[in-house]
Amino acid sequence: TMQSSGHRFRDVEHHPLLAENDSYDSSSSEADMAERVWFIRDGCGMVCAIMTWLLVVYADFVVTFVMLLPSKDFWYSVINGVLFNCLAVLALSSHLRTMLTDPGAVPKGNATKEYMDNLQLKPGEVIYKCPKCCSIKPERAHHCSICKRCIRKMDHHCPWVNNCVGEKNQRFFVLFTMYIALISAHALILCGFQFFSCVRGQWTECSDFSPPVTVILMIFLCLEGFLFLTFTAVMFGTQIHSICNDETEIERLKSEKPTWERRLRWEGMKSVFGGQPSLLWINPFAGFQIRRLLLRGKKGGPEFSV
């Protein structure tokens, strides 16, 4: 421990006494953060994120060009094509919002004498400091070794979105898992209909590709759809359960006793998704400001947070 301005720091990783709304200094610091594009430069995470996009594009290719376009039923092709592609756009948009949204990072190095004086804490009051990023830890914040930051209400670090899931981007992560689960289920259903149609027609005119190629493409799609559906459906259920219980995955695994007042189930959902239930809850574009991105570009391009 070290003494500063009558306050004691403790280098620990949990149970800070600060409220969640306390933030480092000032409008200038927050303005600097607002001008940054959040992106984690982690090799494994970037590979996983690219793989996610490629797998969705592959599924879209097989569904569109192997199953729907060769179909003789016009409305079957149109309805399923529009539905699948809309779900794919929503899933990838949710993925981008999760990956490029600051999950709730605590400013680095804010454990300074000036900041301590601004907090106006009582003499002798214990404040918890992260020894890894030298920041004063708000309540329920945890340090991520990949993001190299303390994250407010950190649930876990997900390599598939190359980011932590925390206070500010959990909503987008939930939408990502939901939409991936939906397009996976849709792809599996379409595969079932396509196999039945091809077998009944003895593989004549059921696809523009040869029967062996069609079978291989559809088998890979079925495997991908089954794995993605299983993984994302379980993750979606886990996230909803955590939100309703107002408990992150880290807190559950560490069996931490809550030092905060837990929200009721419905209050937890409204806190994460914002306001009363509406279509905005399932809209990954809600709150997206193109103007802010354009201003960032005019001011010298994006800064990448580490």
Side-chain angles (χ1 to χ4, degrees):
T1 59
M2 65 178 182
Q3 300 289 336
S4 175
S5 302
H7 307 305
R8 291 179 294 163
F9 288 98
R10 286 186 181 175
D11 294 341
V12 294
E13 288 296 315
H14 58 282
H15 298 315
L17 300 179
L18 294 180
E20 288 185 9
N21 292 330
D22 289 333
S23 58
Y24 176 45
D25 175 85
S26 57
S27 55
S28 61
S29 176
E30 292 177 359
D32 291 340
M33 291 295 291
E35 293 303 322
R36 295 182 180 180
V37 174
W38 179 269
F39 183 79
I40 302 301
R41 290 175 288 188
D42 173 58
C44 175
M46 288 188 283
V47 169
C48 289
I50 292 171
M51 283 181 58
T52 302
W53 275 68
L54 291 178
L55 288 170
V56 173
V57 170
Y58 170 78
D60 191 60
F61 169 79
V62 176
V63 167
T64 303
F65 294 98
V66 177
M67 301 185 197
L68 298 181
L69 287 182
S71 175
K72 296 179 180 179
D73 190 333
F74 174 78
W75 287 112
Y76 172 83
S77 299
V78 169
I79 293 173
N80 283 287
V82 169
L83 178 60
F84 189 89
N85 281 277
C86 285
L87 290 174
V89 168
L90 290 169
L92 294 179
S93 300
S94 301
H95 183 272
L96 275 179
R97 293 299 301 272
T98 308
M99 182 170 62
L100 301 179
T101 299
D102 177 356
V106 179
K108 283 184 178 179
N110 65 352
T112 63
K113 181 179 183 300
E114 292 76 17
Y115 182 49
M116 291 300 305
D117 293 338
N118 289 335
L119 289 177
Q120 297 180 349
L121 299 173
K122 297 178 181 178
E125 187 171 357
V126 177
I127 300 169
Y128 293 93
K129 184 191 77 170
C130 176
K132 298 176 182 177
C133 58
C134 295
S135 63
I136 297 177
K137 298 183 68 172
E139 189 174 31
R140 306 182 70 183
H142 293 272
H143 185 86
C144 175
S145 58
I146 299 175
C147 296
K148 299 180 177 63
R149 300 288 286 275
C150 284
I151 307 296
R152 296 176 186 269
K153 288 184 66 177
M154 176 181 169
D155 188 84
H156 68 288
H157 184 94
C158 178
W160 295 104
V161 297
N162 189 33
N163 201 0
C164 275
V165 177
E167 184 178 66
K168 295 183 180 179
N169 69 345
Q170 187 175 24
R171 168 175 170 261
F172 302 121
F173 182 74
V174 172
L175 293 182
F176 168 66
T177 58
M178 181 183 76
Y179 286 124
I180 289 293
L182 289 175
I183 63 171
S184 299
H186 191 192
L188 289 173
I189 292 171
L190 291 176
C191 280
F193 280 116
Q194 188 71 10
F195 271 120
F196 178 77
S197 174
C198 289
V199 170
R200 186 179 60 180
Q202 298 182 346
W203 297 93
T204 59
E205 299 182 359
C206 79
S207 174
D208 293 336
F209 296 85
S210 65
V213 173
T214 301
V215 170
I216 291 173
L217 290 173
M218 291 175 61
I219 287 176
F220 274 114
L221 179 59
C222 286
L223 291 174
E224 176 192 339
F226 177 75
L227 291 175
F228 267 50
L229 176 60
T230 303
F231 173 75
T232 54
V234 170
M235 185 59 71
F236 175 77
T238 302
Q239 287 293 301
I240 295 297
H241 181 266
S242 296
I243 293 171
C244 290
N245 287 339
D246 195 14
E247 180 182 51
T248 66
E249 188 66 15
I250 290 180
E251 291 163 352
R252 186 186 67 82
L253 292 175
K254 289 186 175 182
S255 300
E256 293 185 1
K257 295 182 179 179
T259 57
W260 61 95
E261 184 179 350
R262 284 188 170 178
R263 295 186 177 96
L264 298 175
R265 293 184 177 183
W266 197 240
E267 292 301 318
M269 292 290 289
K270 289 194 290 186
S271 171
V272 170
F273 288 93
Q276 295 297 324
S278 69
L279 290 178
L280 293 177
W281 278 24
I282 59 174
N283 179 12
F285 300 103
F288 181 70
Q289 297 181 1
I290 298 179
R291 182 182 176 186
R292 178 177 295 178
L293 289 179
L294 295 176
L295 288 175
R296 286 172 180 166
K298 292 179 181 178
K299 292 182 179 179
E303 290 181 38
F304 292 98
S305 298
V306 219

